Structures are given as structure tokens and as C-alpha cells.
Amino acid sequence: MNAISPLPVPTWREELEHEYAALRARIEHLVPCMEWSLHLPWIEAINRLKQQRGAVIMAHSYQSPEIFHGVADVTGDSLALAQAAADCDSDLIVLCGVHFMAESAKILAPDKTVLIPDLEAGCSLAASITAEDVRELRRQHPGVPVVSYVNTSAAVKAETDVCCTSANAVQVVESLGVDKVIFLPDQFLGKHVASQTGVELVLWHGRCEVHEKFTAGEARHARERFDAKLVAHPECPPEVLAEADFVGSTSAMGRWLAKEQPKRVALITECSMADNLRAQFPRTEFIKPCNLCPHMQRITLPNIYAALRDLRHEIHIPADIIERARGSLTRMLAVGRQERV
């Protein structure tokens, strides 16, 4: 990849207000006005540098609005980003999400350069299980196939028969045509999947540190105090899901909102998800409860800019891990997104 001359630290200029007027109009109710003049020079600098590098920026739905709307070329949930990585024509991908997502992009596009703006952007689910844990589960349950949530490390994916996301977990489990499956690492997602299928699931004890904090009392309060519809992610505890009007993946939430168009809704998930959907559905009032993912919040405009400028924080995975993990991800992509809304 050809080197380019370093750019100065982005600075404000009056012309930016006019050049990015359409973006400001779209997200001004999501970004405090006093922050706009701080974000906009970085947005412009990233977009210019992205063009010079020929890079594609991919952002998960939990990214903050100035990233999600301001610099991303591809946005979506884990499945959408994985599919985009597999189909991407660019030789340079900047993954604005957590580490396992950048690893998935590298697994599916091993000849491309994949950067993550902050190497410390992790995931409590991915950290909850190791490759050795998977091998031990196989020893305890000989012959039982393993389905791993995509929120796992490359090393765990390499020990897995097929991955899944929250959008296709039930269909992936049933695609194996067996009576019993090891499902890991999210315990709550596993319980939700078990309630939707006759397949017996052996569950791990991992939990999402964002979603496990929600309570049924918070959900009921949002409904009773604000007369809000409740939409919950399946990583939430079962008693929270029991209160919800709809349970689904991040993408399914958006499709449900488009179909139902509720007057008020409480998204029981990560806060930035609600912010980004608010821009898409301005006639719906979004009531929080929500929790911020501390790992997603590590991704910022300045460190996206630095990653592009210096080509830093490249994802490296041993070739044998990539080869084995790719099979589990491609089998997931073959099942695709089959959620019904």
C-alpha cells in the first residue's frame, strides 16, 4: 500500500458548516450542539483520508452517532459486517467495533489489511471462554456439535462447527439436524434459543456486561410510566425478555420499528443503538433504559483518524486459525439472516 504524507491535526474552518449541513440536519438532535464543532473537523479529515487510502470504514450499530452517520461506509449488526467483510472490494478495512468483529473481518478477508482503532476494545462474552474450554466441552459431550455466537475470539471460532448471530441462532442450531448442541458463550441468548427450538442445548456461563444489567422492574417502569412499547435484545435476562413486546437482534429491532411505528418505545439494549435508530425514526419517541458498552465507547473519531493515518492496530491471526475459523463463519453466512418480524 502506498504511503501518503502525514496530515496535520484537523482544525475548524467555517466552510465545514456549509459542506456538512445535510449531515448536521440529520443528526443534530443526537449530537449536542457544543460538540458539533469538535467532531466535524475529524469527520472531514477521516473522510478525506479514507478516500486517499481507498479504505472502507465499517461501524457496528453500537457506535456513537458521529461515527455511525459521519464516517462509516457500512453499518449494521455483526452479521451485516461479517457479510460486508466477505464481499468488500477494498484492500483496507477499518472496523469500528470490538476486537472479535475485526477478527471476523480478517478471517473472511485474510488478504486484506484490517485495522481496529483501539486494540483494547474487547467483549465480556468473547473473554468468557477460551479454545481450551471448547475442547473440554467436546470431551465432556463427545460427538455433540458446537455452535458459537459470533461474539467469540478467532481461536474459539476455530474450535467451532458453525457460528451464529442473534439474528439466525435458532436456524443455525436446527440446521445441524441433531438432537443436542453445545451452544456458547452467551447463557441468556442460549436460554432464549432453547425456548424456540426442540434441540437440547448445553450452555456456557458467559454474559454480556451491557445486557445482563437490565431488570424486569426497569422494563415494567418504562411501560407503565411512559406507555412505551418494549423491544429487547435476546442477550437480556429471561425475565426481561418476558416483559418485552418484541425480542430480536439489532437489525430486527429496526425492522420491527418500521413495521409497527410505535409512538413511544424503550430499546432495552446499548444506548448508541437507540440514538442511531432515532435518526431513522424521528416520529417515534425513544425512552431509555439503556446501557453504554464501555468497549464500543473506546472507538473515537481521533483514533479512527490515527488508525488510517498510521495504518496502526492491524489485526494478525495465525494462518491455521484463520483456515479453521473461516469454515465456521462461512457456514453461518450460508444460513443467512432468517429472523421473522
Side-chain angles (χ1 to χ4, degrees):
M1 187 175 298
N2 294 329
I4 64 174
S5 58
L7 294 179
V9 173
T11 56
W12 174 262
R13 55 185 179 85
E14 294 296 329
E15 294 82 359
L16 293 180
E17 284 278 11
H18 174 71
E19 294 171 13
Y20 284 86
L23 174 63
R24 180 169 188 175
R26 191 165 74 250
I27 67 172
E28 63 181 351
H29 60 301
L30 305 178
V31 177
C33 60
M34 294 187 66
E35 295 181 8
W36 181 247
S37 61
L38 300 176
H39 291 322
L40 195 47
W42 290 105
I43 290 172
E44 184 203 32
I46 290 167
N47 286 331
R48 287 180 180 271
L49 186 54
K50 176 177 65 177
Q51 291 182 340
Q52 289 179 269
R53 292 289 195 194
V56 168
I57 296 180
M58 300 183 183
H60 189 266
S61 300
Y62 293 172
Q63 287 297 294
S64 57
E66 67 273 11
I67 294 171
F68 188 89
H69 297 282
V71 300
D73 302 293
V74 178
T75 59
D77 61 10
S78 297
L79 181 55
L81 298 185
Q83 290 171 321
D87 298 336
C88 181
D89 292 329
S90 174
D91 291 329
L92 177 61
I93 297 171
V94 182
L95 202 298
C96 298
V98 294
H99 198 270
F100 78 79
M101 297 177 184
E103 283 192 330
S104 294
K106 182 65 176 180
I107 290 166
L108 292 169
D111 297 329
K112 301 182 187 301
T113 299
V114 177
L115 308 176
I116 185 169
D118 191 322
L119 285 170
E120 299 303 314
C123 171
S124 60
L125 284 170
S128 74
I129 191 163
T130 67
E132 178 53 38
D133 291 328
V134 182
R135 290 191 287 268
E136 177 58 29
L137 283 168
R138 286 192 183 276
R139 286 191 286 268
Q140 293 174 12
H141 305 275
V144 177
V146 175
V147 173
S148 290
Y149 196 23
V150 74
N151 300 40
T152 47
S153 67
V156 167
K157 290 180 176 69
E159 299 293 334
T160 296
D161 293 288
V162 57
C163 288
C164 73
T165 71
S166 56
N168 65 5
V170 173
Q171 290 76 21
V172 166
V173 166
E174 293 182 344
S175 73
L176 295 172
V178 295
D179 297 328
K180 185 177 181 179
V181 166
I182 298 168
F183 187 94
L184 52 90
D186 192 301
Q187 183 182 45
F188 291 152
L189 175 62
K191 288 183 177 181
H192 178 67
V193 172
S195 72
Q196 307 293 309
T197 180
V199 179
E200 179 186 353
L201 299 188
V202 177
L203 302 181
W204 189 246
H205 50 70
R207 296 181 181 182
C208 169
E209 65 186 282
V210 172
H211 292 100
E212 72 172 335
K213 296 176 183 176
F214 292 110
T215 68
E218 289 174 329
R220 286 193 294 271
H221 174 76
R223 185 195 302 283
E224 295 166 4
R225 173 67 176 81
F226 300 102
D227 190 28
K229 295 293 186 181
L230 305 182
V231 176
H233 194 281
E235 292 174 14
C236 293
E239 59 270 22
V240 174
L241 301 186
E243 298 287 339
D245 296 287
F246 176 74
V247 176
S249 69
T250 53
S251 291
M253 288 179 185
R255 295 196 300 275
W256 185 89
L257 288 170
K259 177 183 177 183
E260 299 295 330
Q261 299 185 27
K263 183 178 180 181
R264 295 185 188 89
V265 66
L267 291 191
I268 307 176
T269 187
E270 210 275 346
C271 290
S272 295
M273 175 72 185
D275 287 337
N276 293 321
L277 282 175
R278 187 181 290 112
Q280 187 177 347
F281 301 101
R283 295 183 180 179
T284 295
E285 182 182 359
F286 286 76
I287 306 299
K288 298 180 179 181
C290 66
N291 293 317
L292 280 169
C293 174
H295 306 291
M296 288 287 184
Q297 296 303 303
R298 296 187 70 94
I299 308 301
T300 65
L301 290 172
N303 63 26
I304 295 170
Y305 174 80
L308 272 170
R309 182 193 61 194
D310 303 331
L311 300 180
R312 72 179 188 181
H313 302 326
E314 181 176 356
I315 299 296
H316 295 284
I317 305 172
D320 62 317
I321 297 293
I322 285 181
E323 182 177 358
R324 291 158 55 209
R326 189 186 302 126
S328 65
L329 283 173
T330 54
R331 285 187 282 275
M332 174 189 78
L333 294 178
V335 173
R337 187 187 303 279
Q338 299 188 26
E339 265 181 319
R340 293 186 178 92
V341 177

